[in-house]
Amino acid sequence: MNKEYLQKFANHLKKLRKELGLTQDDIANEDISRAMVSLVEIVKTDITLSKIKAIADSMNMPVRDLFAFENEEN
């Protein structure tokens, strides 16, 4: 597990979620629990592609937007 990459993903996810005014409960759905969203945001678990898709769908955005951090300067 690449913790540094997961941390970047987690930070970006949290930033996007807050920008959209969403809570972890708002993102949760039948495919991903609020607890799983929390674990992802605090980098306590790796995440599967199907869970990433569920998050993107809940946030009404394409999956690629969740990976936009790859193009940002850090």
Side-chain angles (χ1 to χ4, degrees):
M1 179 165 56
N2 184 333
K3 280 266 201 185
E4 183 180 329
Y5 190 79
L6 290 175
Q7 185 66 61
K8 288 178 183 180
F9 179 84
N11 292 343
H12 187 67
L13 171 61
K14 190 172 185 178
K15 177 182 151 208
L16 288 174
R17 180 176 61 74
K18 288 186 174 197
E19 285 174 357
L20 293 171
L22 299 172
T23 66
Q24 291 175 346
D25 283 322
D26 293 330
I27 294 173
N29 60 44
E30 62 190 36
D31 296 317
I32 188 163
S33 67
R34 190 220 43 88
M36 177 60 82
V37 174
S38 175
L39 290 173
V40 170
E41 286 189 358
I42 61 173
V43 194
K44 293 294 183 188
T45 188
D46 206 336
I47 186 168
T48 64
L49 185 55
S50 62
K51 300 284 187 226
I52 291 170
K53 173 72 170 129
I55 289 171
D57 289 349
S58 290
M59 296 174 75
N60 294 314
M61 64 177 51
V63 170
R64 71 176 172 269
D65 288 359
L66 294 177
F67 291 94
F69 69 90
E70 293 180 317
N71 300 322
E72 296 175 356
E73 295 285 327
N74 290 332

